[in-house]
């Protein structure tokens, strides 16, 4: 689904901070697997029965590290959450920013230039017809009137500034424009705060 489609999904439910559903993410895991020569081996990676690969076609090394690190660390942050896989996070990154394609991703995860989505002012830009007024005073999206989805995982600032925001690279700052922070934040958000079992789950929307 195109980004326009994901923005339309976000407009339909104002509580959705990431503009994608887990059902589509799971489907995209198959697309990632198709990029590998050994599809049987990749299927094992996707189901968590084998460690993540050293490289994946179409995913930069830092972004891949961000996905795999987040999938491993989530057990510390959300011990009641099971079944998190690096490939699920990679599926989100594929849909939302094509793994930060066209942007420089530094070794510490910093992404330049920043990835900032369309202004969510309800005028139809990017397929959005519901307005999301500013919640971060422009800190993350540079817009003091309306919010915009930000970073490689396209968080809304209002969601990132809550418990979802994470410091994935240990620099003391939770930054949605950082690959490690954003990937860990996505994992935390998917798991929620209660008991969650992601393996075998057919559908879950990214609601607030």
């Amino acid at each position: 689904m195109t980004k326009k489609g994901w923005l339309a999904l976000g407009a339909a439910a104002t509580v959705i901070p990431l503009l994608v559903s887990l059902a589509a993410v799971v489907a995209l895991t198959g697309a990632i697997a198709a990029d590998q020569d050994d599809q049987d081996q990749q299927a094992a990676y996707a189901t968590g029965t084998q460690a993540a690969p050293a490289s994946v076609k179409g995913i930069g090394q830092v972004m891949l590290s961000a996905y795999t690190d987040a999938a491993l660390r989530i057990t510390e942050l959300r011990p009641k959450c099971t079944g998190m896989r690096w490939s699920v996070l990679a599926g989100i990154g594929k849909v939302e920013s094509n793994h930060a394609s066209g942007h420089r991703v530094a070794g510490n995860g910093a992404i330049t230039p920043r990835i900032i989505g369309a202004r969510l002012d309800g005028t139809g830009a990017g397929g959005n017809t519901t307005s999301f007024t500013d919640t971060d005073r422009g800190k993350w999206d540079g817009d003091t009137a309306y919010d915009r989805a930000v970073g490689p995982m396209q968080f809304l600032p209002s969601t990132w500034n809550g418990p979802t925001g994470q410091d994935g690279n240990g620099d003391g700052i939770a930054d949605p424009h950082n690959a490690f922070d954003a990937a860990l934040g996505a994992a935390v958000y998917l798991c929620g705060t209660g008991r969650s079992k992601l393996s075998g789950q057919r559908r879950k929307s990214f609601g607030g």
Side-chain angles (χ1 to χ4, degrees):
M1 186 181 292
T2 63
K3 177 160 287 190
K4 180 177 180 180
W6 294 129
L7 285 170
L9 176 62
T14 59
V15 295
I16 295 178
L18 291 172
L19 308 178
V20 30
S21 70
L22 185 56
V25 168
V26 172
L28 279 167
T29 299
I32 294 172
D35 285 336
Q36 296 297 296
D37 293 333
D38 188 347
Q39 294 188 28
D40 290 337
Q41 183 182 52
Q42 182 62 14
Y45 294 144
T47 57
T49 59
Q50 192 168 338
S55 63
V56 175
K57 183 179 178 181
I59 305 180
Q61 194 59 51
V62 177
M63 290 301 299
L64 180 59
S65 293
Y67 300 142
T68 56
D69 287 357
L72 289 172
R73 288 191 58 192
I74 194 60
T75 56
E76 304 169 10
L77 299 174
R78 296 290 188 270
K80 294 181 180 179
C81 180
T82 61
M84 176 60 68
R85 305 181 304 281
W86 73 269
S87 53
V88 170
L89 300 173
I92 299 171
K94 172 65 176 179
V95 169
E96 297 299 350
S97 67
N98 194 21
H99 312 300
S101 177
H103 299 255
R104 180 178 180 272
V105 185
N108 67 353
I111 297 174
T112 53
R114 288 181 164 188
I115 302 172
I116 299 177
R119 184 183 235 198
L120 303 179
D121 57 6
T123 60
N128 170 260
T129 56
T130 301
S131 63
F132 293 77
T133 55
D134 176 65
T135 60
D136 67 336
R137 297 183 180 179
K139 178 179 180 179
W140 300 122
D141 57 13
D143 194 327
T144 57
Y146 293 92
D147 272 346
R148 299 168 183 252
V150 297
M153 308 304 256
Q154 291 289 276
F155 280 99
L156 290 185
S158 58
T159 299
W160 185 260
N161 289 332
T164 297
Q166 297 293 318
D167 175 16
N169 66 350
D171 65 356
I173 302 172
D175 184 352
H177 295 285
N178 182 280
F180 292 99
D181 296 3
L184 188 58
V188 166
Y189 188 83
L190 278 172
C191 284
T193 57
R195 186 175 299 277
S196 300
K197 184 177 181 181
L198 299 179
S199 58
Q201 188 168 342
R202 295 182 60 84
R203 181 178 182 85
K204 175 182 178 181
S205 294
F206 286 2

